[in-house]
Amino acid sequence: MAVTIKDVAKKAGVSPSTVSRVLSNHPRISAETSRKVKEIMDQLGYHPNIMAKSLVSKTTNSICIMLPKSAEELFSNFFFMELIRGIVTQANRLGFDVLLSSGANEKEEVECVSRLLNGHRVDGVILLYSRINDPVIDFLYKNNHNFVLIGRSEQYPDILSVDNDNVQASYDATKHLISLGHKRIGFVSGPPELVVSKDRLKGYLLALNDAGLETKPEWIVEGEFLQESGYRAISFFMNLPDRPTAIVLIDDVVSFGVLRGLYELNYKVPEDLCLVSFNNIPLAEMSTPPLSSVDIGIYNMGYTASGMLIQAIQNNSGDKTVPGRYIIPHRLVVRESSIFSVQKD
Amino acid sequence: MAVTIKDVAKKAGVSPSTVSRVLSNHPRISAETSRKVKEIMDQLGYHPNIMAKSLVSKTTNSICIMLPKSAEELFSNFFFMELIRGIVTQANRLGFDVLLSSGANEKEEVECVSRLLNGHRVDGVILLYSRINDPVIDFLYKNNHNFVLIGRSEQYPDILSVDNDNVQASYDATKHLISLGHKRIGFVSGPPELVVSKDRLKGYLLALNDAGLETKPEWIVEGEFLQESGYRAISFFMNLPDRPTAIVLIDDVVSFGVLRGLYELNYKVPEDLCLVSFNNIPLAEMSTPPLSSVDIGIYNMGYTASGMLIQAIQNNSGDKTVPGRYIIPHRLVVRESSIFSVQKD
DNA sequence: TTGAAAGCGCTAACAT
DNA sequence: ATGTTAGCGCTTTCAA
């Protein structure tokens, strides 16, 4: 049997409550007793039972990360790992543990957060994705749980969320290509049910409109956050009669597929086609040619989301002065994949 | 206040213990009461308090994943994300939650697992890495905790672990290059404190020896699981008077750095240098040229480790018939980066 | 088949 | 500054 607070109390000749006070650095405890109790504690190898503490304090000092139903299909792994690193780092710094969960589908996801939150297993949840019309968000919102979104919700614009200004980011990326003289610019998007796909598409269209450039439905293709998407998209694009001379891509990984496809078709980047994508993963710098990419501060998003959630949890019995929405700044990193200027035609 | 077992009991006109029995599918409970109680449960929106249950049952149905101190520096993110996916999937399937933790250094890591395990927060731990002389492993082993290692321990060969036969895998990769006629083969290793680096180096040397080929200290360089390592290594290799015509690399990501470096130096793969690396990440297939790589079944390793740990936890009060060590099979996937045969010289 | 009661390890009034 | 006491919500003998 593990050593409990009572064992420590007995051996130290004090009451259990005194030991408890020492544990939580209660102000009104004599330095002497504190020292003695602490000594006995590690003499006995005492470790507080976290479950017992949680039971009475009604707080778990834990948060939960919900992975999307099929992380492997939707996103580049890099994105998630980086987000998670940020979340875990900040949570640990603030004395919180992090639980990782996922469901096979939306129903399971709801059941999962419900079990965890209502079962007092965790104090709050971070969703790593923002889907349009998400039942998980509905559940969390309606039951007044603590949660923060990576991204944003269209239905509930005021909920806690950490996001980029994806419209602006995409606008910037597109603008960059326009400034190089490109007139025909394509867009490879992500899954349409994700808010981020929608926002980036919007920014792209806005930039073209502002520049008075033509937009064509066939210059926009939807895909996933996978190389295959880029690979497929490119054979489509390059066969168009009026093919784009540059494209904006939802994710660096998609660019890799494009690069591969272009190589096989014997096209050169940036001479035949300029590329700008999002996320700026480390590999972007090392590809041939190095990829222009919008750095969106993924780690920072995770870190910030984690801090926001924990602040919300701790403020919960007080005033609700937590800001609703936090925008992580983005930064376009121009590399070789987009340094080719188009000749006047 | 949340609804408790008592509220359900009162409303159903039974005792709390009956409700508890319904919850755990106790055999001796009438179908009628069970039905009625369950009805009341979701009528009231009852959710069992996981902490309270843990406190009395002395089991948490949770395991913990320890991330290495600086995941970002040591390994490709892909590797970890894939491992984690496997662990979480299997754990959830078996009704376990997964906690994610990390420490800034080895001391913090020990403190962390100690707090979690001794504090009855989790029932067991999975270590995602195998370092030589690891104090975390010491701690876990000496305190008789439930844990499994991804990799293996040299000090404690009998502990639960999931691993590849890395010596053989590296032997196979090297043998493949030898069979193409290469006589001068280099090796880019990982951090020397990792067991996996040691094992793969061993397999490489073994293959060269078995083939009666020369080995040279300058054909072996140590690095990290980063592109930069490959990038640096290659400028070193290519300046050697008797430079290798092929290299084995510890990780695909390192190969990407090599590819970039070779491109800048105006060398061609596989004509000037053949490459084989480990892990077979999705990008390996999409690089130019596609990379030959040893698939080590990362997801499977995580999945298996998770299952083993949970089995160990559940068997703990019974017989110790859990197998100590599980080897995940590997498979060399040959692609363009290594299809060039050397001419007889 | 069900109920009563004790207790898991801890905290937090309320005393002193 | 410290002790006493009463639970937190659940499971589990023991009795009925």
Side-chain angles (χ1 to χ4, degrees), chain B residues 31-47:
Chain B
E32 174 55 17
T33 358
S34 174
R35 196 198 49 70
K36 192 176 67 186
V37 168
K38 276 177 181 157
E39 190 184 305
I40 307 260
M41 274 180 182
D42 50 47
Q43 194 178 306
L44 256 43
Y46 169 76
H47 289 269

Side-chain angles (χ1 to χ4, degrees), chain A residues 62 97-98 100 115 119 121, chain B residues 50 62 97-98 100 115 119 121:
Chain A
S62 309
D97 288 318
V98 178
L100 210 54
R115 180 181 63 85
R121 179 45 171 267
Chain B
I50 307 179
S62 309
D97 288 319
V98 177
L100 210 55
R115 179 180 64 85
R121 177 50 173 258

Side-chain angles (χ1 to χ4, degrees), chain A residues 61-111:
Chain A
N61 273 29
S62 309
I63 59 175
C64 168
I65 297 177
M66 275 310 278
L67 289 170
K69 52 181 172 180
S70 44
E72 75 275 26
E73 286 166 20
L74 277 182
F75 280 96
S76 72
N77 282 282
F78 177 84
F79 178 79
F80 282 110
M81 196 64 221
E82 203 56 10
L83 228 35
I84 291 173
R85 276 211 313 120
I87 293 169
V88 172
T89 303
Q90 172 69 315
N92 285 353
R93 223 178 56 81
L94 299 174
F96 273 66
D97 288 318
V98 178
L99 227 112
L100 210 54
S101 274
S102 71
N105 52 56
E106 294 183 339
K107 185 158 162 290
E108 271 191 36
E109 287 175 28
V110 173
E111 276 162 10

Side-chain angles (χ1 to χ4, degrees), chain A residues 17-32:
Chain A
S17 28
T18 300
V19 178
S20 173
R21 287 184 184 107
V22 170
L23 229 42
S24 50
N25 292 311
H26 192 100
R28 285 194 308 238
I29 211 85
S30 82
E32 174 56 17

Side-chain angles (χ1 to χ4, degrees), chain B residues 74-332:
Chain B
L74 279 181
F75 280 95
S76 73
N77 282 282
F78 177 84
F79 177 79
F80 282 109
M81 196 63 222
E82 204 56 11
L83 227 34
I84 291 173
R85 276 212 312 119
I87 293 170
V88 172
T89 303
Q90 172 70 313
N92 286 354
R93 224 178 56 82
L94 300 174
F96 272 67
D97 288 319
V98 177
L99 226 112
L100 210 55
S101 273
S102 70
N105 51 56
E106 294 183 338
K107 185 158 161 290
E108 270 191 36
E109 288 175 28
V110 172
E111 276 162 10
C112 183
V113 295
S114 167
R115 179 180 64 85
L116 257 19
L117 250 6
N118 291 322
H120 295 271
R121 177 50 173 258
V122 299
D123 299 331
V125 169
I126 296 179
L127 299 182
L128 295 193
Y129 51 85
S130 297
R131 288 184 299 231
I132 293 162
N133 290 324
D134 191 329
V136 181
I137 299 179
D138 281 347
F139 169 84
L140 257 14
Y141 186 84
K142 287 180 181 147
N143 291 277
N144 211 24
H145 284 126
N146 285 309
F147 73 106
V148 359
L149 218 60
I150 302 288
R152 68 184 185 88
S153 164
E154 303 199 297
Q155 286 186 276
Y156 313 105
D158 55 329
I159 59 180
L160 259 41
S161 56
V162 178
D163 201 2
N164 300 109
D165 185 343
N166 276 308
V167 176
Q168 185 65 46
S170 188
Y171 188 96
D172 294 348
T174 312
K175 191 84 183 294
H176 162 62
L177 293 171
I178 294 172
S179 75
L180 293 171
H182 292 279
K183 308 269 187 244
R184 301 190 305 276
I185 301 174
F187 186 78
V188 181
S189 184
E193 71 270 22
L194 294 182
V195 178
V196 61
S197 302
K198 211 171 158 178
D199 285 350
R200 289 183 184 166
L201 179 59
K202 187 175 171 188
Y204 155 80
L205 290 171
L206 221 55
L208 291 185
N209 281 330
D210 282 3
L213 290 178
E214 191 182 9
T215 64
K216 282 197 182 182
E218 63 263 39
W219 290 348
I220 299 168
V221 305
E222 272 164 8
E224 273 128 26
F225 290 75
L226 293 173
Q227 300 105 278
E228 283 75 5
S229 290
Y231 190 78
R232 276 195 305 270
I234 211 59
S235 63
F236 171 76
F237 275 147
M238 299 315 267
N239 282 322
L240 252 29
D242 235 24
R243 72 161 180 85
T245 61
I247 37 180
V248 178
L249 303 112
I250 195 85
D251 188 286
D252 293 330
V253 170
V254 181
S255 285
F256 289 129
V258 167
L259 247 27
R260 180 67 199 159
L262 288 173
Y263 177 84
E264 291 181 5
L265 295 172
N266 247 303
Y267 286 107
K268 291 228 170 317
V269 175
E271 293 82 351
D272 297 318
L273 192 70
C274 280
L275 263 33
V276 181
S277 45
F278 288 88
N279 290 4
N280 194 29
I281 69 176
L283 248 32
E285 192 184 358
M286 279 287 175
S287 74
T288 302
L291 287 175
S292 295
S293 190
V294 181
D295 195 306
I296 59 168
I298 307 176
Y299 180 88
N300 193 358
M301 292 182 85
Y303 195 88
T304 305
S306 190
M308 272 175 76
L309 177 57
I310 291 168
Q311 201 194 329
I313 290 166
Q314 290 171 337
N315 276 7
N316 218 5
S317 34
D319 54 338
K320 287 259 194 186
T321 48
V322 191
R325 206 165 140 61
Y326 198 92
I327 302 295
I328 303 292
H330 61 268
R331 182 174 57 94
L332 173 64

Side-chain angles (χ1 to χ4, degrees), chain A residues 174-193:
Chain A
T174 312
K175 191 84 183 297
H176 162 62
L177 293 172
I178 293 172
S179 76
L180 293 171
H182 292 278
K183 308 268 185 245
R184 302 191 303 278
I185 301 175
F187 187 78
V188 181
S189 186
E193 71 270 24

